[in-house]
Amino acid sequence: TMWLKPEEVLLKNALKLWVQERSNQYFVLQRRRGYGEEGGGGLAGLLVGTLDAVLDSTSKVAPFRILHQTPDSQVYWSIACGSSREEITEHWDWLEHNVMKTLSVFDSNEDITSFVQGKIRGLIAEEGKGSFVKEDDPEKFREGLMKFEKCFGLPEQEKLVTYYSCSYWKGRVPCQGWLYLSTNFLSFYSFLLGAEIKLIISWDEISKLEKTSNVILTESIHVCSHGEDHYFSMFLHISETFLLMEQLANYAVRRLFDKETFENDLVLHDPLQITKRGLESRAHSEQFSAFFRLPKEETMKEVHECFLWVPFSHYNTHGKMCISENYICFASQDGSLCSVIIPLREVTGVDKADPANRGVSISTKGKTAFRFTEVRDFEQLVAKLRMKCNATSSPQHIINTEVAASSASDSPKDFDAGPSKMGQRDNSKTVSTEALMTVYHPQDAENLDSKMLKEKMKEQSWNILFVERGHGVSMFRTKKTRDLVVRGIPEALRGELWLLFSGAVNDMASNPGYYTELVEKSLGTCTLATDEIERDLRRSLPEHPAFQSDTGISALRRVLTAYAYRNPQIGYCQAMNILTSVLLLYAKEEEAFWLLVAVCERMLPDYFNRRIIGALVDQAVFEELIRVHLPQLTDHMTDMTFFSSVSLSWFLTLFISVLPIESAVNVVDCFFYDGIKAILQLGLAVLEYNMEKLLTCKDDAEAVTVLNRFFDSVTNKDSPLPPAVQQGSNLSNTKSDHPKVDITDLIRESNERYGDIRYEDVESMRCRNRLYVIQMLEATTKQNVLRVVSQDVKFSPSDLEELYELFKKEHFLSCYWNVNSPVLQHHDASLPYLDQYRIDCQQFRVLCHLLSPWSHCANRDSLALWTFRLMDESSDCLINFKQFACVLDTMYNGSFTDKLKLLFKLHIPPAFTEVESLSPSKGVDLSKEELIHFSQLSVSSVGYSLESVSLKNSPEKGKGKVDIQAYLKQWQDELLKKEENIKDLPRMNQSQFIQFSKTLYNLFHGDPEEELLYRAIAVVTSLLLKMEEVGRRLQSPTSPVKSPVTVTEVPAEIPRKGQEESSFEQTEGSKAQSLRGNHEWSFAFEQILASLLNEPAFVRFFEKPHDIKVKIESAKHLQLKARSRV
C-alpha cells in the first residue's frame, strides 16, 4: 500500500468501476468491482475484469483506493491505493486517527483540500526518506540539507540530524511543512498559499517538551520556549521523532548547563559528529544499561526477539535478548516480569540446541544452562558469542574475576569468602572485611525468640528461591523475587542481595583491587570534601553502636574519602554520609563503596552535585505523579512547592532520614530492586495514607507536623534488631495517639496501588522534567541578576531583560559549533549569580556592534576593545552582565558629562592600548586573534597594576570560603568608585588625545551636522593647545610639567610585538611639531569638558536620545547572522 500524489478523479463514470466500502465526511475507501467477490461480481464485475486484463499489465489497477472529497464538491482526489484490505485499512485508520478531527478547524473547503494535499505530499516524501535512511540515500538527504541551509541561514557548521513532514499549529489552524532537527536548533518551515512560516528555537531555550493529546489533535508534540507554546502534529512516526527531539534537547542541556556530567561523555563531546542513528542507539543503550543496572560503559550491540525456557515454571516466556560488550540480558515482554543477566565472565559454553526451533544454549559457572529458542540467525549468534566468550576468558582475567565474582557459585558462603580474601591480601590494616552488623549484632543461633524464628523463615524462603531460580548474578528474577523483596530481605542476605540487584556486583568484579588502591591514594589527602566528611562523620546514625566506635567511623571515613577522590565532580555531599553508614551496616567495606558508586552514578544521577539537579528532577516527577494519582490533594494545595520542600530528604536519603532505621532498610531493599520507582511509589502511598489529615491542614507547617507524626509511628514488628538500636522504639507506645503502621504493609500497599507506574515512563518523565528544572534554575539566576543590575541603570525592566537574553545567547552561540569550546568554561553555575555567565572580548565585540549607539563608527573594533578593557577590572579577560549593562547605560542614558567621561576614559590607560591591525589591507577591523591578544595586554603603569592585583584576589572569584571582610571592603570601594571625582582622572597625553579626536571624527561621520561638528573639534583642539601653551609659560621653565601620570610605556609595548610602525611615525611626527623644546603636552578632563561645553553642536550630538528598543529588536534578528559571518 502506498500514499499517492493527489490527483483529481471524476466520479461521473458511466461504468461503475468501484464499490464504496467505507466513507466519512472527507474520505472514501473504495474496492475495485469484481475483486474479492463471490462469483466475480456479476456482469459489471466481468466487464471490469476484462477491462483490467485488456489494459497492458504495467497499468494494473490496485484493487483498493482512498479518495479525499469535500462535502459539496464533485471533485475527488486519489490519495492512497493498496493491494489488500488489511493494508488499505491501516492507511484509513491513520487518516481517521490523525487527520479527521483536525479538518473541522478550517473555514473553507479549499483550505481543507490544500491541507490534505500538502499533508499527503509530505507523507510521500517522508516515506521516501524513511527508505533512504535504511539505505542511506545521500541524494535525498542532500536535497533536505540544501533546503535547510537555504531556509534558515544558520552557520554551515550547524549539523542537520534529520527532518520530518508535519503540521505546525499557528493559532487554531495547522500549517503543513517540514520540521528540521539539527544539533543546536529545532526549526520549522512552511510555505503555503503565499504565506511563509519560519521558526527557529534553540534546544537550550526549551523548558517543556512532551507528547500530548487533545480533542482536535490525537497526538502532537508540545514545545514550550520562553513561555511560548508550539504544537506539532501529524507525524508518520511520532515516537521516533519525539525520541530524537528528547535526545537533542537533553544533549544540549547537558553540554551547555551541566558540564559536570558531560565532560566524561566521549560520545557527545563533538557536536559536529552527531547523527540520527548515533542518537537513537545511544538512547536505547542508556535505557538498556539503566534497566539491567549495568556499568555505564556498556552499549547495546544487538537485540533478538526470542523465547527463554523457564525451567521452574515449565514454559517458554517471550521477550528480547539484548547483547552488549560484556553481558547477555533477557527481559520478558509477556507480563511475566522475568529477567536474566548473564555476564560473559560467567559463561562456560555456548551451543546450538534444538536446531528445528533455532535454539541457543548458554551454560554458566553456576551450573545453570539458559535455553533460548526462535532466535533469528541463531547460528551466526552462536559463533559471535563463542568468539566473545573466548576473548573474555583470557587466563589472567579469569583469575581476577573469580575471586571477586564468585557470587555466582552455589553457596552464599563462597560469596562471602571472595572479596575478604582479596582485602586481606592487599591491605588488611586498612580495609575492614566484615559488615558492621555481623560485628555488632551476631545472631545467637541457640536462643531463637519469635522474631528470630520469623527471620529464619524468611531466609528459608530465599534459599528455596535460590535452589529453584539460581543464586548469584545470573539468577532468574521474577514476580516472586519482587514479592520476597517487598516483605523485607533477611538481615543475613541483605548485603549480598543489595550488591546483586543494584548491579554493584558487576562493577566490583570488573575492577578487582580498585578500592584498596583508592583508599591508599586518598587517605591523608586534604580537600574541602575531606573537611566536610570529618565534620559529618559523627552525625551519621549516631545512635548506632557501630558508629560510636572507631571501627565504624574509620570505615565510613575511608569509603567517603575514596569516593570523593574517585569522583571530584561530586566530591562529598551531605546525605551521602547517612546513606553510606546504612550500606556499611550490611555490606563489607569494599561492597559498600561499590554500592555508593551505583547509587551516585547510576541510580540517582546528578543527585549529589552542587545543585542537586537530579533530586529536583525527581521531585518534579513526584509532583507530576501526585497530580495524576491524588488529584484531590492537588486541588486542596494552593502551592505544589510544599511537596517539593517536604520530599527533598525522602529522595536524597531514600527515607533513611525520616524513618526509623529498622523500617528504612526495608525501603532501601525495594530501592535496590526497583530503583527510583520504589521511592516515588512509597511517597505516593505516604501521602494517600495521610490524605484526610492533609486535607484539613490550613498551612504547610501543619502538614509537616502530620507527616512527621506519621513517620514516627511507622514500625517494623519483624525486625530482629536489638531494641537499643531500633529508633521507632517502643518508648513511643505511651503516646499512642497515632495508630502504628507497619513498614511491610506500607510498602505492600504502595506496590499494589502504584506498581503499574512503568519504569520507562519514569525515565521519560525524568527527561522531560530535567529541561523544566534547568530552566527554572536559569530563571532564578536571571531574576537575581536583573534585580541587582536594575538598581544601577536607567533601562526599563523589559529592555534590561532583553539585554540579558542577548548577553546569555552570545555565550551559547560561541559554544554551539566548537568542539570542546573553551568558552564553556565561562559559565559556572556554582558561582554567585552575577558571575555565572561572563563573556570575553570577542563576544563583547559582537554585542557591541549589534547594540552600541556608536557602532557606526569606523574604528568600532578599537572602541569595543577599549571599552572591554575598561570594564575588565579583574584583568581576567571576562566581564559580567552588570559591567556590560552599565557601560551601555552610560551610552544610552548618561548625561553629556557621563558620555564624555566614558570616551575620555576609553582613551587613557588602563583601557587604551595602541591598536594596529596586523593586516593593513583590513584597515581598522581586527581579527578575532588580534582582538583577544590586545584585550590581554597588561598595563605597565604602576598605579593600575596594584589595583588589578587587589581585584584579582577579589573574594567572588575563588571558590573557597567567603571572606566577609573582603566583601565589605570591595563594597566600600565600589561606593567610592561611584563618587569618582572628575579631578581624580589622569591627564591625557598627546598621542592619546590625537586618537581621541580621531574617534570623535569617526562618531560624527554621517551626522546631519557633520560639518559643524568637525569645525567644533578643530576649534576646541586649538583652544586646548593655547591653554596648554599659556600654562607652560606660567610655570618656571626649570620645573617639569606636573602631570599625575604620563604614560609613555604603553605605546612602546606594541612595536616590540613585531607589528608595523607606520602609524607611530605619523603620531611621532605630529608630536614633534607641537613640542616646544623638550616638553610633552597633556590635558585634564576638566579642560576638555569645559571647552566642549562651549560648542552647542557637540552638546546636541551627545544629548540626542537613542532608542535601545530598535537596536534590541534588530539585534535579536541579526545575532545569529553575525555568528554565521564570524
Side-chain angles (χ1 to χ4, degrees):
T1 302
M2 53 198 280
W3 298 106
L4 300 173
K5 202 163 178 184
E7 280 179 10
E8 259 184 67
V9 179
L10 273 167
L11 280 196
K12 292 281 175 217
N13 295 354
L15 263 180
K16 290 283 190 196
L17 298 180
W18 295 88
V19 185
Q20 187 164 312
E21 292 227 324
R22 297 166 84 165
S23 74
N24 60 35
Q25 206 181 348
Y26 301 111
F27 299 104
V28 184
L29 193 159
Q30 298 180 329
R31 170 176 52 77
R32 188 80 167 162
R33 196 177 281 283
Y35 176 83
E37 287 177 36
E38 291 296 316
L43 184 62
L46 262 176
L47 278 171
V48 175
T50 315
L51 190 72
D52 287 351
V54 171
L55 292 171
D56 103 41
S57 61
T58 53
S59 62
K60 250 301 209 266
V61 182
F64 292 96
R65 68 179 183 180
I66 297 176
L67 306 179
H68 161 61
Q69 59 169 17
T70 49
D72 14 332
S73 158
Q74 286 301 312
V75 180
Y76 285 71
W77 299 82
S78 61
I79 56 173
C81 67
S83 53
S84 77
R85 186 173 272 112
E86 289 77 51
E87 288 180 351
I88 202 79
T89 309
E90 225 173 87
H91 279 53
W92 178 265
D93 292 344
W94 192 88
L95 288 168
E96 281 203 322
H97 192 66
N98 285 287
V99 181
M100 271 299 294
K101 292 179 183 168
T102 307
L103 297 180
S104 58
V105 305
F106 289 101
D107 298 331
S108 75
N109 287 340
E110 287 76 57
D111 287 353
I112 290 181
T113 300
S114 69
F115 177 76
V116 170
Q117 291 180 353
K119 182 79 237 163
I120 300 300
R121 288 201 184 95
L123 291 173
I124 292 169
E126 173 82 18
E127 285 194 327
K129 193 191 95 200
S131 60
F132 90 73
V133 167
K134 293 182 191 71
E135 294 134 29
D136 280 328
D137 170 351
E139 275 312 298
K140 197 89 182 198
F141 191 75
R142 197 167 299 128
E143 205 177 295
L145 185 63
M146 280 167 66
K147 255 197 214 161
F148 171 69
E149 288 176 346
K150 196 176 102 220
C151 291
F152 302 105
L154 294 168
E156 54 193 33
Q157 310 97 301
E158 180 61 14
K159 186 169 191 313
L160 178 62
V161 176
T162 186
Y163 57 100
Y164 295 98
S165 148
C166 74
S167 304
Y168 169 61
W169 288 76
K170 193 88 177 138
R172 287 186 58 242
V173 180
C175 317
Q176 179 55 35
W178 290 92
L179 178 73
Y180 295 89
L181 307 181
S182 58
T183 317
N184 299 295
F185 300 95
L186 170 162
S187 322
F188 175 83
Y189 183 80
S190 155
F191 184 78
L192 271 186
L193 311 175
E196 184 181 59
I197 292 175
K198 201 181 280 190
L199 183 72
I200 302 179
I201 300 173
S202 57
W203 294 113
D204 56 78
E205 293 168 340
I206 292 180
S207 56
K208 219 185 210 145
L209 177 62
E210 57 186 359
K211 271 195 287 197
T212 56
S213 288
N214 61 26
V215 183
I216 296 173
L217 293 176
T218 32
E219 263 197 309
S220 63
I221 293 175
H222 170 208
V223 175
C224 178
S225 145
H226 288 304
E228 273 184 68
D229 292 306
H230 307 277
Y231 291 90
F232 302 92
S233 68
M234 306 207 198
F235 292 94
L236 250 189
H237 311 288
I238 190 161
S239 300
E240 173 197 295
T241 312
F242 184 71
L243 177 83
L244 279 171
M245 289 168 81
E246 206 173 44
Q247 285 286 306
L248 283 163
N250 211 6
Y251 163 71
V253 160
R254 287 182 53 193
R255 186 167 150 248
L256 301 167
F257 295 108
D258 201 11
K259 300 185 295 294
E260 290 154 341
T261 49
F262 188 80
E263 282 161 2
N264 320 333
D265 200 324
L266 299 172
V267 188
L268 295 182
H269 231 39
D270 182 353
L272 309 179
Q273 295 307 314
I274 287 185
T275 60
K276 173 174 184 278
R277 198 169 285 155
L279 282 170
E280 283 173 338
S281 66
R282 178 185 177 76
H284 295 311
S285 275
E286 278 176 350
Q287 288 164 0
F288 157 75
S289 50
F291 181 80
F292 291 109
R293 309 274 160 76
L294 299 179
K296 262 191 167 154
E297 304 73 63
E298 291 299 311
T299 51
M300 186 161 65
K301 295 295 186 203
E302 43 191 301
V303 179
H304 300 274
E305 243 180 83
C306 61
F307 288 88
L308 169 63
W309 174 247
V310 184
F312 47 88
S313 303
H314 304 291
Y315 84 110
N316 274 314
T317 174
H318 172 246
K320 286 186 173 163
M321 179 203 291
C322 308
I323 298 171
S324 68
E325 290 89 345
N326 301 297
Y327 297 85
I328 302 167
C329 303
F330 175 89
S332 67
Q333 289 187 293
D334 54 9
S336 64
L337 301 178
C338 172
S339 66
V340 168
I341 299 167
I342 312 169
L344 292 182
R345 60 175 189 268
E346 294 293 327
V347 174
T348 53
V350 182
D351 301 289
K352 278 184 275 196
D354 193 5
N357 290 321
R358 305 201 293 275
V360 175
S361 164
I362 297 173
S363 355
T364 62
K365 296 174 188 167
K367 320 273 189 299
T368 321
F370 296 92
R371 201 170 86 223
F372 299 93
T373 48
E374 301 302 327
V375 186
R376 262 191 37 220
D377 313 329
F378 75 109
E379 289 170 323
Q380 289 173 331
L381 183 63
V382 168
K384 252 190 243 167
L385 288 176
R386 278 189 177 157
M387 278 178 63
K388 264 184 181 264
C389 293
N390 293 340
T392 335
S393 55
S394 58
Q396 87 272 353
H397 197 93
I398 288 185
I399 295 163
N400 282 348
T401 56
E402 267 312 82
V403 182
S406 50
S407 57
S409 62
D410 291 307
S411 78
K413 290 188 214 61
D414 294 2
F415 179 79
D416 287 358
S420 60
K421 276 185 209 150
M422 207 167 73
Q424 286 160 357
R425 185 192 68 211
D426 289 358
N427 206 332
S428 52
K429 285 194 213 58
T430 50
V431 178
S432 64
T433 53
E434 290 292 340
L436 294 172
M437 272 297 176
T438 46
V439 181
Y440 286 91
H441 314 298
Q443 292 189 359
D444 181 358
E446 302 304 308
N447 313 317
L448 291 179
D449 58 8
S450 61
K451 285 186 177 177
M452 281 316 293
L453 275 170
K454 206 153 190 188
E455 186 74 358
K456 288 287 169 217
M457 281 158 68
K458 269 194 198 172
E459 281 179 38
Q460 198 48 39
S461 312
W462 277 95
N463 287 330
I464 293 168
L465 186 87
F466 292 148
V467 169
E468 197 179 88
R469 295 159 198 223
H471 189 172
V473 195
S474 29
M475 65 192 278
F476 278 90
R477 300 165 197 215
T478 59
K479 190 174 175 307
K480 182 77 189 291
T481 324
R482 173 182 279 113
D483 294 342
L484 286 182
V485 170
V486 166
R487 284 172 49 193
I489 297 176
E491 301 274 312
L493 293 172
R494 204 162 247 144
E496 172 190 348
L497 291 176
W498 282 0
L499 213 59
L500 209 61
F501 297 144
S502 63
V505 61
N506 292 318
D507 294 309
M508 193 161 130
S510 349
N511 297 288
Y514 174 85
Y515 175 66
T516 17
E517 205 176 301
L518 209 56
V519 168
E520 281 170 9
K521 280 185 194 159
S522 64
L523 269 184
T525 51
C526 195
T527 60
L528 198 62
T530 52
D531 293 349
E532 288 175 1
I533 290 170
E534 259 339 289
R535 189 191 64 210
D536 285 351
L537 283 177
R538 315 223 166 248
R539 301 180 190 171
S540 318
L541 292 194
E543 51 292 302
H544 197 288
F547 296 101
Q548 291 160 2
S549 78
D550 188 49
T551 319
I553 295 278
S554 302
L556 186 59
R557 178 187 293 115
R558 284 192 294 271
V559 173
L560 291 172
T561 311
Y563 187 77
Y565 188 85
R566 163 193 168 90
N567 189 345
Q569 234 68 50
I570 290 178
Y572 166 77
C573 166
Q574 257 182 329
M576 284 166 77
N577 58 327
I578 298 177
L579 183 62
T580 310
S581 49
V582 173
L583 298 176
L584 279 166
L585 288 180
Y586 293 99
K588 300 171 187 135
E589 190 177 318
E590 182 180 12
E591 298 168 353
F593 170 78
W594 286 113
L595 281 168
L596 185 64
V597 169
V599 172
C600 294
E601 293 170 24
R602 284 205 312 271
M603 298 180 74
L604 300 179
D606 272 2
Y607 259 60
F608 300 104
N609 50 21
R610 282 200 193 86
R611 297 192 291 169
I612 58 167
I613 285 177
L616 298 175
V617 168
D618 284 346
Q619 280 183 305
V621 171
F622 186 49
E623 271 178 39
E624 209 175 307
L625 290 169
I626 296 172
R627 278 193 198 94
V628 175
H629 294 279
L630 306 171
Q632 59 280 49
L633 200 53
T634 26
D635 297 344
H636 174 71
M637 302 301 277
T638 43
D639 182 11
M640 289 293 277
T641 50
F642 164 71
F643 298 115
S644 311
S645 52
V646 80
S647 65
L648 185 59
S649 62
W650 305 356
F651 289 103
L652 278 171
T653 67
L654 308 177
F655 283 95
I656 296 170
S657 61
V658 290
L659 283 175
I661 178 76
E662 66 279 9
S663 301
V665 287
N666 285 33
V667 179
V668 180
D669 293 343
C670 297
F671 168 73
F672 280 129
Y673 193 81
D674 266 332
I676 192 64
K677 186 169 118 69
I679 304 296
L680 293 164
Q681 284 172 192
L682 186 61
L684 290 171
V686 167
L687 293 180
E688 190 191 9
Y689 192 93
N690 292 285
M691 177 83 77
E692 285 173 18
K693 289 188 177 161
L694 289 172
L695 290 178
T696 58
C697 289
K698 315 240 181 341
D699 56 22
D700 291 359
E702 258 186 81
V704 170
T705 313
V706 166
L707 290 171
N708 286 343
R709 284 223 177 111
F710 168 76
F711 285 130
D712 289 341
S713 74
V714 174
T715 60
N716 183 348
K717 57 178 190 298
D718 297 339
S719 171
L721 289 184
V725 174
Q726 293 198 24
Q727 294 170 338
S729 59
N730 313 325
L731 306 175
S732 55
N733 280 350
T734 45
K735 46 178 204 301
S736 59
D737 55 336
H738 210 301
K740 294 272 175 272
V741 185
D742 194 73
I743 187 67
T744 320
D745 299 336
L746 191 63
I747 289 175
R748 188 180 301 114
E749 180 84 355
S750 80
N751 256 297
E752 282 165 11
R753 298 299 298 267
Y754 307 110
D756 55 355
I757 294 172
R758 287 172 53 237
Y759 176 78
E760 303 82 90
D761 296 341
V762 171
E763 282 308 307
S764 83
M765 286 161 92
R766 270 177 159 181
C767 219
R768 188 164 66 235
N769 283 292
R770 185 183 186 80
L771 300 177
Y772 166 74
V773 165
I774 293 260
Q775 295 301 350
M776 290 306 289
L777 292 169
E778 286 296 303
T780 309
T781 299
K782 176 165 89 174
Q783 284 155 7
N784 281 293
V785 169
L786 294 179
R787 201 185 62 237
V788 171
V789 177
S790 62
Q791 297 162 5
D792 292 349
V793 297
K794 298 193 181 76
F795 291 126
S796 71
S798 60
D799 288 346
L800 194 62
E801 185 170 347
E802 297 270 24
L803 286 173
Y804 179 83
E805 291 298 345
L806 287 165
F807 180 86
K808 184 173 147 182
K809 187 84 208 153
E810 194 52 45
H811 161 79
F812 283 139
L813 288 172
S814 316
C815 305
Y816 283 166
W817 299 288
N818 284 349
V819 185
N820 212 347
S821 163
V823 179
L824 276 171
Q825 307 310 320
H826 302 169
H827 170 217
D828 185 346
S830 61
L831 289 175
Y833 291 121
L834 252 183
D835 286 328
Q836 286 186 15
Y837 284 104
R838 298 188 301 157
I839 57 173
D840 63 19
C841 194
Q842 161 65 13
Q843 296 162 309
F844 175 71
R845 165 169 68 173
V846 176
L847 285 173
C848 227
H849 294 354
L850 290 171
L851 292 166
S852 159
W854 302 340
S855 58
H856 60 280
C857 194
N859 64 337
R860 60 187 198 158
D861 276 0
S862 317
L863 265 184
L865 167 70
W866 297 328
T867 313
F868 182 83
R869 286 176 59 102
L870 180 67
M871 289 181 294
D872 177 21
E873 294 163 337
S874 52
S875 310
D876 55 6
C877 299
L878 294 172
I879 62 165
N880 64 27
F881 179 68
K882 183 177 174 183
Q883 295 163 318
F884 171 73
C886 288
V887 81
L888 269 185
D889 187 56
T890 307
M891 294 175 183
Y892 278 96
N893 306 318
S895 63
F896 175 74
T897 311
D898 294 334
K899 290 177 184 171
L900 207 64
K901 183 160 67 170
L902 173 64
L903 275 170
F904 181 85
K905 284 161 93 172
L906 293 184
H907 290 81
I908 55 173
F912 183 73
T913 174
E914 291 280 359
V915 172
E916 183 68 15
S917 178
L918 299 176
S919 43
S921 58
K922 274 168 105 181
V924 282
D925 289 346
L926 296 172
S927 72
K928 182 178 172 180
E929 290 67 33
E930 292 167 344
L931 195 71
I932 298 293
H933 162 74
F934 287 128
S935 71
Q936 290 168 348
L937 284 182
S938 59
V939 178
S940 46
S941 131
V942 180
Y944 290 105
S945 59
L946 284 172
E947 186 185 342
S948 66
V949 167
S950 68
L951 269 156
K952 257 197 180 127
N953 307 332
S954 103
E956 292 192 45
K957 299 289 178 282
K959 287 196 204 165
K961 299 192 174 61
V962 176
D963 177 1
I964 301 295
Q965 291 294 305
Y967 258 121
L968 287 173
K969 181 169 180 336
Q970 198 178 333
W971 191 46
Q972 264 176 328
D973 292 349
E974 274 185 20
L975 284 177
L976 287 172
K977 217 181 291 165
K978 276 200 182 112
E979 295 151 18
E980 173 184 55
N981 199 325
I982 291 177
K983 288 191 171 61
D984 301 338
L985 285 171
R987 292 172 75 89
M988 183 181 270
N989 72 17
Q990 56 194 31
S991 65
Q992 292 157 5
F993 182 75
I994 289 166
Q995 185 56 65
F996 177 68
S997 313
K998 272 190 198 164
T999 300
L1000 289 176
Y1001 272 115
N1002 287 329
L1003 272 179
F1004 299 153
H1005 181 63
D1007 191 86
E1009 298 196 286
E1010 187 172 14
E1011 286 305 310
L1012 266 176
L1013 287 161
Y1014 284 175
R1015 214 168 307 135
I1017 297 180
V1019 170
V1020 167
T1021 310
S1022 63
L1023 179 70
L1024 282 168
L1025 282 170
K1026 277 181 192 148
M1027 280 163 58
E1028 176 65 16
E1029 192 69 23
V1030 171
R1032 188 172 300 114
R1033 285 196 188 131
L1034 288 175
Q1035 287 177 335
S1036 62
T1038 50
S1039 70
V1041 182
K1042 289 198 181 79
S1043 75
V1045 189
T1046 43
V1047 184
T1048 44
E1049 293 98 317
V1050 175
E1053 219 179 46
I1054 301 283
R1056 278 212 301 281
K1057 304 269 178 205
Q1059 283 155 21
E1060 307 189 359
E1061 299 178 24
S1062 56
S1063 73
F1064 289 95
E1065 286 153 24
Q1066 294 169 15
T1067 12
E1068 293 303 322
S1070 58
K1071 272 188 209 170
Q1073 292 161 22
S1074 52
L1075 279 186
R1076 301 279 188 285
N1078 186 6
H1079 289 296
E1080 260 210 24
W1081 44 263
S1082 64
F1083 299 131
F1085 176 65
E1086 291 160 289
Q1087 294 173 300
I1088 297 178
L1089 177 64
S1091 4
L1092 289 177
L1093 275 169
N1094 286 329
E1095 300 292 330
F1098 242 95
V1099 180
R1100 276 198 302 277
F1101 177 85
F1102 280 109
E1103 288 193 339
K1104 212 175 6 194
H1106 291 280
D1107 186 7
I1108 186 128
K1109 281 189 171 50
V1110 179
K1111 281 280 194 189
I1112 287 175
E1113 274 317 303
S1114 80
K1116 278 163 47 182
H1117 294 298
L1118 296 172
Q1119 196 175 19
L1120 247 180
K1121 291 198 176 73
R1123 178 61 45 187
S1124 335
R1125 286 197 302 271
V1126 163

